[in-house]
RNA sequence: GCCGGUUUAGCUCAGGGGUAGAGCAACCGCCUUGUAAGCGGUAGGUCGUGAGUUCAAAUCCCACAACCGGCACCA
C-alpha cells in the first residue's frame, strides 16, 4: 500500500475494505461522524488495528479501524461492564467516603470491584449504591483521559489515601503509560478504554453480591470487600440473564436431591453424604456402568481405609498433606492411623506383592476407593465438594515406553464415558511442572511430552496450564460442559514419579535388570459424589431412563385395575425395569402431577379399559401426550430404553 | 480457614420480650376417580446449640456450630 499523498494525511481502512483519507490526529469519533450521524451517536469506542481504544484518541498512522457500537456484542459488553465497574467505584466513594478503590475487572457475565474499607458493606447497601450509579448515568458525566507522570501519579494517589492504587502504579511496567480517567470530577487509574460519557452505559446493570476477597488473591494479604455486578447492553439482556440464573437455581443438586429423595447431609457428618435408596440406586447404576467399562482392561481391588502413619510418611503424604488427613489413634498400640485421602499408596502395596515381569505390564488397577479429606469448611458444597467421597480411581503401572499409549487409552475411556453419559463437549488441559516439584527436568520433559503426544495422537486439542501440575508429575485434566454451559473438571490422567520411587516399585525387564515402572493415576468421573451432583444439575433431575432411580410408575385410575397394575409392575420388574405401583385412592390428575414432580420418566396409567384390553397408557415425563399400547409392547419399549448405553447394540 | 449473610413444623416461609403461625407435605375419613393439586378433618415445633440479661427470651447480648454466597484452598 502506498503512503498517503500528503504528510498530514493518513489512510484509514474501514471494515468494508474502503480506504478513506483523514487528517493525521483524527479521532474515532470524527471518523464515525464523517461516516454518518447515526454511527456517531451509536459509537462506543474504536477498534484500532484490532485493539479497543477511546473514541477521542488521536489516530496518528495509517490504520484499519472499526467503530464499535452496541451491536458488536463482545466488545460492547466488555466496554459497558468495565465502565459499570468504574461507575460502581464512583458511587461507592460518593456514598462511603474513605473507602479505597483497588481493582475492578470484567468477569464472565459482569464485573466486580474490590474495595478497602473497615466497615463491611451490607446487602442493604447494594440498592443504595445502585441508585447512586443510576444517578451518575442520568447525569451523563463526560469522560476525560490524562496521561500522568509515574512519580506524580504515585504521589497523587498516596496523597489522597489511595494506597492500593499507588501500589498498582508502582508495579506497572515502566513501558506502560499511566492513564487516569475522569468521569465528571471523579477519577481512577485505568488502562481504558472507556465510553465517552456515563450516559452511554445505560441502566441494564445490577449489583449481585458482596464477598470478601484477598488483596492480590493471596490469603496472607488484607481482605478486601468485593462487590459483584452484572451489566448488559439493554434491559432485555439483563432480564434474560437473571432468568438464566433462576433456571440454574432450579437445577441445584442440593434442592433436587432433597425433592427427589436422593440423599441428605446433616451436622453430625459434615461433608459426608447419606445416600437414600433412590440416590443409591443412581449411584450403583453409575458404578456398575463404570465397572463394565473397565472390565476387560483393568483389575479391580479394594484397599484398607486406615493405614499406619509410617506408610504415609513413606509416601510423602505425611509431610505434604497431613493437615488434610483424618487421623485415628489407637492408644493401646500407641499407633496413629490415617484415613486414606487417596488410594495410590494402597495400590502400590498390591503391585509390590510378588515380583513383576515386564510381561505383566501394564497392570491397570482400579478401585472405587472411599477417601476422606479434611477440606476447609468454606470449601464444602452440597455433594460436589465433600470430605468423604469415592473416587473411580485407577493406577496404571507400565514400562516408561508405554506411558503415551496408556494415557491415550485412559483418555479415550474418559471421552467415551462422558459421551455415553450425555456430555458431548469436553475440553482438555495439560498442566505442567509447578515450581515446587520433585524429579529432574529431564524426567519432566519426557512426561509432559508423553501427555502432549497422547493428545496429538488422539487428535484432541488441549490448552496448556503452565505450572499447575502436581508436585509429583504433570497431568491432563478433562472438563465437560453441562446442559447450561457450565464447565466441570472431572476426569484426570496424571503421571507420578514420586510413589514408585518411594515405595521402590520394580519390575524385571527383558534384560533381567530391575526397573522402576512408570505410574499413571487416572479417574474418569473423579468422585462419584461430585459426578452425581453434576449429572443431577445437567439433567435437571430428568435422568435418561437407564439412570433414573424409578424408571416407571404404574398408576391406577380405579381400584378395579389394581390387580392388573400389580401384574404390570411384576412384568416390568422381570424385564429389569425399576417400576413401582401407585394404587392409592387418588385422582389420576393428582398422581400425574406427583410423579411428574418426582421426575419419573415413564408413567403407565391403568384404568378399566387398559385392564380389560391388556394395554397400558404411557405418558412420558415432559410430555402431555399419552399413548395406549399393549402392555408387552410398552415393556419392550422401556426395556430397550433402560439398557445402559454400553450394552446397546 | 477468611469476609458477609442465614438458622422457626418434613418443605417453603411469616412473626419479633408475655410462652408459636400459614401454605404445601404427612395422617384419618368421604369421593371410584381418564392424564399436573377432589372435599372435609387430625396431628406435628427443646424457634440450630450453649451460656447470659430479665419477673419473663423464639425475640435482647455473647460464644459456638451448621448452612448459603464469595475469597483462599483443591494431592
Amino acid at each position: 500500500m502506498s503512503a498517503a499523498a500528503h504528510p498530514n494525511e493518513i489512510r484509514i481502512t474501514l471494515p468494508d475494505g474502503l480506504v478513506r483519507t483523514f487528517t493525521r490526529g483524527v479521532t474515532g469519533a470524527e471518523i464515525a461522524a464523517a461516516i454518518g450521524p447515526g454511527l456517531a451517536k451509536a459509537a462506543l469506542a474504536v477498534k484500532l488495528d484490532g485493539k479497543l481504544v477511546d473514541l477521542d484518541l488521536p489516530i496518528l498512522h495509517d490504520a484499519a479501524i472499526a467503530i464499535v457500537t452496541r451491536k458488536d456484542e463482545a466488545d460492547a459488553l466488555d466496554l459497558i461492564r468495565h465502565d459499570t465497574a468504574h461507575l460502581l467505584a464512583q458511587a461507592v466513594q460518593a456514598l462511603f467516603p474513605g473507602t479505597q478503590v483497588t481493582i475492578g475487572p470484567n468477569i464472565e457475565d459482569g464485573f466486580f470491584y474490590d474495595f478497602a474499607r473497615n466497615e463491611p458493606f451490607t446487602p442493604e447497601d447494594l440498592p443504595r449504591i445502585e441508585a447512586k450509579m443510576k444517578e451518575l448515568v442520568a447525569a451523563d458525566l463526560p469522560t476525560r483521559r490524562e496521561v500522568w507522570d509515574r512519580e506524580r501519579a504515585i504521589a497523587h494517589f498516596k496523597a489522597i489515601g489511595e494506597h492500593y492504587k499507588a501500589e498498582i502504579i508502582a508495579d506497572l511496567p515502566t513501558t506502560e503509560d499511566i492513564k487516569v480517567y475522569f468521569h465528571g470530577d471523579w477519577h481512577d487509574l485505568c488502562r481504558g478504554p472507556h465510553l465517552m460519557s456515563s450516559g452511554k452505559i445505560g441502566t441494564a446493570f445490577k449489583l449481585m453480591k458482596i464477598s470478601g476477597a484477598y488483596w492480590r488473591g493471596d490469603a496472607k494479604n488484607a481482605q478486601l470487600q468485593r462487590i459483584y455486578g452484572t451489566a448488559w447492553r439493554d434491559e432485555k439482556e439483563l432480564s434474560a440473564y437473571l432468568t438464566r440464573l433462576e433456571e440454574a437455581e432450579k437445577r441445584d443438586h442440593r434442592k433436587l436431591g432433597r425433592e427427589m429423595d436422593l440423599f441428605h447431609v446433616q451436622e453430625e457428618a459434615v461433608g459426608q453424604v447419606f445416600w437414600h435408596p433412590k440416590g443409591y440406586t443412581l449411584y450403583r447404576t453409575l458404578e456398575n456402568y463404570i465397572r463394565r467399562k473397565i472390565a476387560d482392561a483393568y483389575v479391580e481391588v479394594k484397599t484398607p481405609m486406615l493405614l499406619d502413619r509410617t506408610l504415609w510418611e513413606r509416601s510423602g503424604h505425611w509431610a505434604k498433606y497431613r493437615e488434610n488427613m483424618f487421623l485415628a489413634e489407637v492408644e493401646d498400640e500407641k499407633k496413629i492411623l490415617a484415613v486414606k485421602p487417596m488410594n495410590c499408596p494402597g495400590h502400590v502395596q498390591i503391585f509390590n506383592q510378588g515380583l513383576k515381569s515386564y510381561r505383566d505390564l501394564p497392570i491397570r488397577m482400579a478401585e472405587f476407593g472411599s477417601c476422606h479429606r479434611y477440606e476447609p469448611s468454606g470449601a464444602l458444597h452440597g455433594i460436589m465438594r465433600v470430605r468423604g467421597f469415592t473416587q473411580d480411581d485407577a493406577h496404571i503401572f507400565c514400562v516408561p515406553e508405554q506411558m503415551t499409549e496408556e494415557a491415550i487409552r485412559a483418555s479415550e475411556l474418559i471421552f467415551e464415558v462422558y459421551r455415553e453419559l450425555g456430555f458431548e463437549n469436553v475440553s482438555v488441559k495439560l498442566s505442567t511442572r509447578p515450581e515446587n516439584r520433585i524429579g529432574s527436568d529431564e524426567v519432566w520433559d519426557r512426561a509432559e511430552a508423553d501427555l502432549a503426544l497422547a493428545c496429538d495422537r488422539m487428535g484432541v486439542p488441549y490448552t496448556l496450564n503452565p505450572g499447575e501440575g502436581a508436585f509429583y508429575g504433570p497431568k491432563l485434566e478433562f472438563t465437560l460442559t453441562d446442559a447450561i454451559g457450565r464447565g466441570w473438571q472431572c476426569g484426570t490422567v496424571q503421571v507420578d514419579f514420586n510413589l514408585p520411587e518411594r515405595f521402590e516399585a520394580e519390575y524385571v525387564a527383558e534384560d533381567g535388570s530391575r526397573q522402576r515402572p512408570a505410574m499413571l493415576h487416572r479417574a474418569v468421573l473423579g468422585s462419584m459424589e461430585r459426578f452425581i451432583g453434576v449429572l443431577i444439575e445437567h439433567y435437571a433431575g430428568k435422568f435418561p431412563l437407564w439412570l433414573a432411580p424409578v424408571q416407571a410408575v404404574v398408576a391406577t385410575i380405579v381400584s378395579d385395575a389394581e390387580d392388573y397394575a400389580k401384574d404390570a409392575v411384576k412384568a416390568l420388574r422381570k424385564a429389569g425395569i425399576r417400576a413401582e405401583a401407585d394404587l392409592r385412592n387418588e385422582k389420576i390428575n393428582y398422581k400425574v402431577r406427583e410423579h411428574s414432580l418426582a421426575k419419573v420418566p415413564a408413567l403407565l396409567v391403568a384404568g378399566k379399559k387398559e385392564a380389560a384390553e391388556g394395554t397400558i397408557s404411557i405418558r412420558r415425563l415432559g410430555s402431555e401426550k399419552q399413548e395406549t399400547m399393549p402392555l408387552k409392547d410398552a415393556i419392550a419399549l422401556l426395556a430397550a430404553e433402560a439398557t445402559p448405553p454400553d450394552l446397546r447394540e
Side-chain angles (χ1 to χ4, degrees):
Chain A
M1 192 183 285
S2 65
H6 195 278
N8 280 332
E9 286 181 344
I10 55 172
R11 293 159 61 88
I12 297 296
T13 310
L14 297 169
D16 58 7
L18 210 67
V19 177
R20 288 180 64 165
T21 304
F22 289 94
T23 311
R24 193 178 302 277
V26 68
T27 67
E30 287 159 359
I31 296 171
I35 297 169
L39 185 64
K41 194 154 169 264
L44 295 180
V46 194
K47 206 152 206 182
L48 177 67
D49 290 329
K51 199 174 153 247
L52 277 180
V53 299
D54 292 318
L55 270 180
D56 67 350
L57 185 80
I59 298 168
L60 302 173
H61 306 285
D62 289 0
I65 78 155
I67 304 299
V68 175
T69 69
R70 279 186 130 69
K71 282 185 186 145
D72 304 298
E73 184 172 5
D75 290 333
L77 286 175
D78 268 357
L79 289 160
I80 288 166
R81 285 170 186 165
H82 187 54
D83 268 56
T84 313
H86 271 226
L87 195 62
L88 166 63
Q90 186 173 4
V92 162
Q93 290 202 314
L95 292 170
F96 307 96
T99 302
Q100 290 187 63
V101 294
T102 67
I103 56 161
N106 282 357
I107 51 173
E108 197 177 353
D109 299 328
F111 60 90
F112 65 75
Y113 211 114
D114 285 349
F115 300 98
R117 176 179 177 237
N118 291 333
E119 281 284 291
F121 292 113
T122 68
E124 293 75 48
D125 291 333
L126 294 185
R128 275 183 68 204
I129 298 170
E130 225 174 86
K132 186 73 188 174
M133 290 165 72
K134 298 211 162 139
E135 231 175 79
L136 295 169
V137 169
D140 198 19
L141 304 169
T143 302
R144 192 176 83 249
R145 179 191 59 252
E146 292 185 3
V147 177
W148 285 10
D149 170 71
R150 170 181 298 261
E151 294 312 318
R152 177 196 160 198
I154 293 172
H156 168 81
F157 281 103
K158 271 188 186 160
I160 61 171
E162 296 283 4
H163 302 286
Y164 288 94
K165 279 289 172 193
E167 193 179 324
I168 293 168
I169 299 168
D171 286 350
L172 282 176
T174 46
T175 49
E176 191 109 345
D177 280 345
I178 309 298
K179 283 180 274 187
V180 176
Y181 279 84
F182 285 75
H183 306 282
D185 48 15
W186 184 83
H187 67 287
D188 191 9
L189 167 82
C190 187
R191 86 163 65 82
H194 278 285
L195 308 180
M196 295 317 289
S197 72
S198 57
K200 293 276 187 195
I201 296 171
T203 54
F205 57 78
K206 185 171 164 59
L207 300 182
M208 302 300 287
K209 53 199 172 195
I210 306 168
S211 94
Y214 299 103
W215 168 237
R216 302 205 146 147
D218 189 334
K220 289 195 281 289
N221 291 340
Q223 193 158 38
L224 307 170
Q225 293 185 64
R226 176 172 298 178
I227 297 179
Y228 284 93
T230 188
W232 300 85
R233 292 177 295 177
D234 54 45
E235 308 290 339
K236 217 174 117 191
E237 279 189 349
L238 172 62
S239 84
Y241 170 67
L242 297 176
T243 307
R244 183 147 61 89
L245 290 185
E246 280 170 31
E247 292 302 319
E249 222 170 286
K250 286 186 196 153
R251 296 172 174 259
D252 192 314
H253 73 281
R254 294 165 300 188
K255 181 173 134 72
L256 289 172
R258 188 175 50 239
E259 287 173 2
M260 298 174 71
D261 196 18
L262 302 175
F263 58 80
H264 85 273
V265 291
Q266 66 185 49
E267 248 186 81
E268 291 84 353
V270 172
Q272 296 171 85
V273 184
F274 289 81
W275 288 104
H276 293 13
K278 285 179 188 161
Y280 198 53
T281 298
L282 175 56
Y283 185 112
R284 278 180 292 119
T285 303
L286 193 60
E287 188 180 68
N288 288 334
Y289 161 75
I290 293 293
R291 198 165 261 141
R292 287 192 304 273
K293 297 298 289 182
I294 62 174
D296 55 345
Y298 290 71
V299 289
E300 185 177 335
V301 299
K302 193 80 179 171
T303 58
M305 197 84 146
L306 291 169
L307 291 159
D308 195 88
R309 160 187 182 158
T310 52
L311 181 133
W312 299 110
E313 284 170 349
R314 184 150 181 206
S315 72
H317 288 83
W318 197 260
K320 295 247 182 198
Y321 201 61
R322 190 154 109 71
E323 62 278 17
N324 287 291
M325 286 157 67
F326 286 99
L327 302 182
E329 289 193 55
V330 185
E331 277 178 33
D332 284 357
E333 297 187 19
K334 293 197 190 103
K335 278 184 173 179
I336 297 178
L337 303 174
V339 184
K340 68 171 169 178
M342 288 159 217
N343 309 300
C344 19
H347 289 186
V348 182
Q349 306 314 306
I350 295 179
F351 179 86
N352 280 170
Q353 295 301 112
L355 197 53
K356 298 292 184 296
S357 153
Y358 71 95
R359 293 179 211 272
D360 297 323
L361 304 183
I363 292 174
R364 308 187 192 93
M365 196 181 291
E367 175 173 1
F368 292 94
S370 176
C371 295
H372 294 262
R373 296 178 187 172
Y374 186 77
E375 300 284 359
S377 57
L380 302 176
H381 177 86
I383 64 172
M384 300 271 208
R385 185 85 183 267
V386 285
R387 288 178 175 162
F389 57 94
T390 305
Q391 290 180 316
D392 66 324
D393 205 2
H395 294 91
I396 297 156
F397 301 90
C398 62
V399 307
E401 290 68 32
Q402 293 168 327
M403 194 122 91
T404 299
E405 190 189 324
E406 287 304 313
I408 290 174
R409 180 187 278 270
S411 302
E412 281 177 343
L413 176 65
I414 290 171
F415 285 119
E416 194 175 307
V417 165
Y418 291 179
R419 196 180 63 245
E420 290 183 344
L421 290 173
F423 302 99
E424 294 293 340
N425 202 330
V426 181
S427 66
V428 181
K429 276 186 306 212
L430 170 58
S431 295
T432 56
R433 68 195 80 185
E435 269 180 42
N436 213 326
R437 61 178 183 265
I438 62 152
S440 68
D441 284 354
E442 292 74 53
V443 179
W444 275 90
D445 286 342
R446 168 85 192 268
E448 287 169 6
D450 281 347
L451 293 184
L453 180 63
C455 293
D456 292 341
R457 292 235 304 253
M458 287 184 289
V460 168
Y462 60 89
T463 54
L464 218 51
N465 211 196
E468 292 299 314
F471 80 89
Y472 52 74
K475 56 186 176 187
L476 294 176
E477 290 171 321
F478 298 78
T479 301
L480 55 84
T481 306
D482 75 6
I484 56 173
R486 297 171 301 182
W488 301 94
Q489 205 254 103
C490 296
T492 174
V493 173
Q494 314 189 354
V495 181
D496 191 338
F497 311 133
N498 184 238
L499 281 183
E501 194 66 39
R502 282 179 173 263
F503 286 115
E504 294 174 1
E506 287 180 342
Y507 68 92
V508 179
E510 236 169 317
D511 62 2
S513 66
R514 302 287 176 106
Q515 298 292 330
R516 195 72 77 219
M519 182 171 163
L520 284 175
H521 304 246
R522 147 269 81 152
V524 178
L525 305 179
S527 119
M528 298 296 293
E529 285 75 5
R530 180 174 143 91
F531 201 89
I532 290 173
V534 172
L535 278 176
I536 293 170
E537 303 209 352
H538 174 64
Y539 284 115
K542 295 172 188 163
F543 298 113
L545 198 85
W546 75 277
L547 282 172
V550 176
Q551 298 171 316
V553 165
V554 179
T556 50
I557 296 174
V558 291
S559 46
D560 285 349
E562 278 178 22
D563 288 341
Y564 180 67
K566 285 182 195 163
D567 288 345
V569 167
K570 236 179 258 174
L572 283 157
R573 288 188 175 170
K574 205 172 160 196
I577 293 160
R578 296 185 287 271
E580 284 175 9
D582 182 356
L583 310 178
R584 291 174 305 168
N585 180 17
E586 294 291 352
K587 307 283 179 282
I588 195 60
N589 278 320
Y590 183 89
K591 295 186 182 181
V592 166
R593 175 178 158 82
E594 216 170 64
H595 300 299
S596 300
L597 290 174
K599 300 178 170 52
V600 175
L603 184 61
L604 308 184
V605 175
K608 218 181 272 179
K609 205 169 56 188
E610 288 81 359
E613 294 170 353
T615 58
I616 207 85
S617 165
I618 297 199
R619 179 185 168 124
R620 308 299 302 244
L621 180 61
S623 164
E624 285 174 15
K625 282 182 280 192
Q626 61 258 198
E627 193 183 349
T628 305
M629 63 177 77
L631 179 60
K632 63 175 187 359
D633 292 358
I635 292 173
L637 187 76
L638 294 178
E641 207 176 312
T643 306
D646 59 306
L647 298 178
R648 286 181 195 159
E649 289 309 313

